Amino acid sequence: MESPARAHKRGLICPGARSGSGAELFYQAQGYRCPGERPDYTFSPHNGFSSSMIYYKRWFTAALF
């Protein structure tokens, strides 16, 4: 996910992850920050509604024109 973003000169990437999932641990280990959550955003037939955590990682700041 990071390589294509860099190739297209994207300085910010914002994936989401279901609260309590292994993806949360993965993003944290990769240095992503978590500014918050979206309550009851995802649905699973087995678990019902759950929160989605918002993550982001910035490589560079966009220049202002």
Side-chain angles (χ1 to χ4, degrees), residues 2-12 59-62:
E2 292 180 10
S3 294
R6 286 184 186 151
H8 293 303
K9 296 181 174 39
R10 303 293 184 223
L12 180 68
W59 293 294
F60 57 87
T61 303

Side-chain angles (χ1 to χ4, degrees), residues 4-65:
R6 286 184 186 151
H8 293 303
K9 296 181 174 39
R10 303 293 184 223
L12 180 68
I13 190 166
C14 300
R18 190 178 71 224
S19 180
S21 70
E24 270 198 284
L25 297 175
F26 172 79
Y27 289 133
Q28 291 168 2
Q30 298 300 311
Y32 284 78
R33 295 181 180 200
C34 181
E37 68 177 294
R38 295 176 281 201
D40 297 330
Y41 188 76
T42 60
F43 180 80
S44 165
H46 302 289
N47 301 322
F49 285 100
S50 62
S51 296
S52 176
M53 307 307 291
I54 303 165
Y55 285 89
Y56 77 92
K57 190 179 212 181
R58 182 182 301 254
W59 293 294
F60 57 87
T61 303
L64 297 175
F65 296 98

